[in-house]
Amino acid sequence: MKKYVILLALILIFLMMTGCQKQDAQKDSTSDGTNSSSTAAEDETVIGKIDETEDMMKIDTKYGTLKFPAKWKDEVDVSISEDEPYTVSFVTKGTDKEIFSLHFGGGEGYLLGTLPLNGENIEVFVEDAELDAKSKDFDKLCEIQEDVNVILNRLTEDYAFSVGGASKPTEASEDVYAIKTAQATLYYPSRWKDKVEIKEKGNAVAFFSKDVEVFELQFGGKDGFSVGTYDGKDLRLVTFDFNDYKDDKARFEELCTMQEDANTILLYLADDSKFVAA
């Protein structure tokens, strides 16, 4: 089953997965989103304060202020769980239907990067809920999920957030290898050179590990999520889930790492004059 998720390179983001429901964020909040009665001691879920400035909702957390587009203020509620891991959840307004969550210091989902705080580097993960493709709100919910990019962009600007927790390899000949395609030259970690097969199909470049499709880059496609443009064409990333390999931990983790390493491709594309980040 194909899953569409977000990948982050520079100001973009990576990946997603399964959802866990949180308590309704609206139940104990006032009209401006501030917590009216609930405390961490009374309830495991507390409400983040939300203000609107510069077309952004501001969500105060123990790890800093998260900024999210204010255009969604009538579509989402935000709740904070102070249990471990510290979790900020975005749910459909007036319901407990999760759209996505950010986990600080651990948790489910995929690593986005690290946030420096009091001499420590706090790992930040994103977990996207499985959306119902038949829902009339499917496209809108996908757009809300994609706007986690805004949060990450602002974290990078405001708190020196480090994307992926790693910098771009400096020696291409040793750390990455060039993949020349009809669309562009892509650079991918050399450790996967003998384990990944590249298949070009139309405007797409697909990465396979044996018979498993790991991810796909579409130049001018319509699937997945936009990560920018290349030579004027919408560049989109499509990723896939690996639930069939959950029982084989080593294989599952290998596939996930191969998928996360799509960030390396985007990091190198940032040096290509034809690429414009989203």
Side-chain angles (χ1 to χ4, degrees):
M1 175 182 176
K2 186 178 290 187
K3 280 192 175 182
Y4 304 131
V5 299
I6 309 169
L7 204 79
L8 163 63
L10 299 177
I11 59 171
L12 303 174
I13 310 182
F14 53 91
L15 322 178
M16 64 121 284
M17 321 1 39
T18 58
C20 59
Q21 292 184 337
K22 298 292 181 184
Q23 182 173 336
D24 188 343
Q26 195 178 30
K27 288 180 180 177
D28 300 314
S29 63
T30 62
S31 61
D32 66 354
T34 57
N35 188 4
S36 60
S37 59
S38 178
T39 66
E42 296 168 342
D43 191 337
E44 68 174 4
T45 303
V46 296
I47 310 304
K49 184 177 71 175
I50 300 175
D51 297 316
E52 291 178 51
T53 55
E54 301 177 352
D55 297 322
M56 289 288 161
M57 296 160 48
K58 289 189 176 182
I59 303 136
D60 291 339
T61 79
K62 67 182 289 185
Y63 294 103
T65 299
L66 307 181
K67 297 177 181 178
F68 195 63
K71 64 181 179 179
W72 302 123
K73 66 183 177 67
D74 295 326
E75 306 291 341
V76 302
D77 287 324
V78 181
S79 68
I80 298 175
S81 172
E82 297 200 9
D83 289 344
E84 294 294 335
Y86 188 95
T87 299
V88 181
S89 297
F90 291 72
V91 301
T92 303
K93 197 168 191 67
T95 77
D96 60 357
K97 295 181 179 179
E98 187 173 279
I99 305 171
F100 70 90
S101 292
L102 293 175
H103 303 294
F104 294 80
E108 299 293 327
Y110 286 81
L111 178 66
L112 295 176
T114 56
L115 185 66
L117 182 69
N118 298 328
E120 296 184 35
N121 288 320
I122 307 300
E123 291 183 329
V124 182
F125 294 78
V126 64
E127 182 178 17
D128 285 352
E130 185 84 39
L131 301 177
D132 182 0
K134 296 180 180 179
S135 168
K136 62 182 178 62
D137 294 324
F138 178 72
D139 289 341
K140 178 172 64 179
L141 293 174
C142 285
E143 190 177 350
I144 292 172
Q145 278 188 345
E146 188 172 356
D147 273 349
V148 73
N149 286 291
V150 175
I151 295 176
L152 271 291
N153 291 347
R154 295 307 181 96
L155 282 177
T156 302
E157 295 173 358
D158 298 341
Y159 299 102
F161 180 83
S162 178
V163 174
S167 59
K168 183 172 70 174
T170 55
E171 295 294 334
S173 61
E174 296 178 3
D175 297 323
V176 298
Y177 68 104
I179 302 169
K180 295 184 178 180
T181 75
Q183 307 295 334
T185 298
L186 310 175
Y187 292 91
Y188 193 59
S190 295
R191 59 180 168 167
W192 305 125
K193 187 172 185 179
D194 297 327
K195 293 188 175 184
V196 168
E197 180 183 2
I198 311 302
K199 296 181 181 179
E200 295 187 60
K201 41 185 182 181
N203 66 346
V205 180
F207 286 65
F208 284 82
S209 175
K210 295 181 180 178
D211 59 342
V212 180
E213 186 163 12
V214 181
F215 65 89
E216 185 176 294
L217 287 171
Q218 294 184 355
F219 294 78
K222 297 181 179 179
D223 296 328
F225 284 90
S226 176
V227 295
T229 60
Y230 188 86
D231 200 19
K233 299 177 182 178
D234 191 17
L235 177 59
R236 304 184 74 85
L237 175 74
V238 182
T239 61
F240 304 84
D241 67 43
F242 311 120
N243 289 338
D244 291 344
Y245 298 90
K246 282 280 191 178
D247 294 333
D248 184 347
K249 184 177 180 180
R251 177 59 169 160
F252 179 77
E253 291 182 351
E254 180 181 62
L255 290 168
C256 288
T257 304
M258 288 177 177
Q259 195 175 78
E260 291 173 5
D261 279 347
N263 285 287
T264 298
I265 294 174
L266 298 183
L267 285 168
Y268 274 90
L269 278 180
D271 294 332
D272 190 323
S273 61
K274 293 182 180 180
F275 178 70
V276 178

